[in-house]
Amino acid sequence: MKYTNLLLEQIGAIAILTINRPKALNALNSDTLSELSTAIDELGMNSSVKVVVLTGSGEKAFVAGADISQMKDFNSLEGRRFAQLGQATFRKLELMPQPVIAAVNGFALGGGCELAMACDLRIASDNAKFGQPEVTLGITAGFGGTQRLPRLVGTGIASELLFTGDIIDANEAYRIGLVNRVYPLNALKEEALKLANHIAGRAPAAVQLSKSAIQRGGNMDLDSAQAYEAEVFGLTCSTQDQKEGCTAFLEKRKPIFEGR
């Protein structure tokens, strides 16, 4: 499918999905969210894609936030619908089969920070900025920020960021556990692809079921989550890749996974 506000390319087993509204610093409006939802569906059904890298167009912004020009005149019902659209899209991203790496190349504020948090891994350029500055606009985070941020960095730090609207740099984001790694801007894409290919080299079903256990188990009590983990472990034991992986280990050689 051809997109207006997104770019989608595939390099081997890696899909690169780019928010492409550079003049608006890749801000998220309803059309972009709808396209993103469609792209997630497209990628989720593409078995040749093992890992997705999500980034923003240009060098200034990953996603600078939700589109304030669209939100400015919202009434209560319109605001709720916009929040629900963003939440549903980001949850779909979170639950898609393939791991998603956010390559944060600049501003990730408001909806941009929320989008990054819906990805499985976050790596950032050294010029990246993160924050939930909604309170400075008289609103709250609406695309999951009040829920994912405490889960990622703890309630105290999340409360400070959400209550003050303060913006932090990439090194501080790394310190508090919001991002996994920080790289120079000119190395970010290369490092994102390197990490994506590293993950893609593992058994696909095992990686995807690990993601499922993390995402679904996080909303269960420990006993239920471990029961789910046992189920996905059992599923991996029915795959050819499991037989190959164990045999290769015993034979002291590198496994050759075929996704079966």
Side-chain angles (χ1 to χ4, degrees), residues 162-177:
L162 288 160
F163 296 168
T164 64
D166 287 349
I167 295 169
I168 60 175
D169 63 21
N171 289 327
E172 178 66 3
Y174 175 77
R175 187 189 72 81
I176 65 175

Side-chain angles (χ1 to χ4, degrees), residues 21-34:
R21 299 186 71 215
K23 290 183 180 179
L25 295 180
N26 303 321
L28 299 172
N29 58 14
S30 296
D31 289 342
T32 305
L33 288 169
S34 296

Side-chain angles (χ1 to χ4, degrees), residues 13-78:
I14 312 305
I16 303 174
L17 181 59
T18 304
I19 310 296
N20 187 37
R21 299 186 71 215
K23 290 183 180 179
L25 295 180
N26 303 321
L28 299 172
N29 58 14
S30 296
D31 289 342
T32 305
L33 288 169
S34 296
E35 286 194 3
L36 182 57
S37 180
T38 301
I40 293 166
D41 287 336
E42 179 183 342
L43 289 167
M45 293 185 293
N46 186 345
S47 61
S48 70
V49 172
K50 301 299 187 291
V51 182
V52 177
V53 174
L54 178 62
T55 192
S57 183
E59 298 184 349
K60 291 183 178 180
F62 171 70
V63 168
D67 194 327
I68 296 172
S69 65
Q70 180 181 6
M71 296 191 305
K72 178 174 65 72
D73 296 320
F74 277 168
N75 60 33
S76 179
L77 181 59
E78 290 166 337

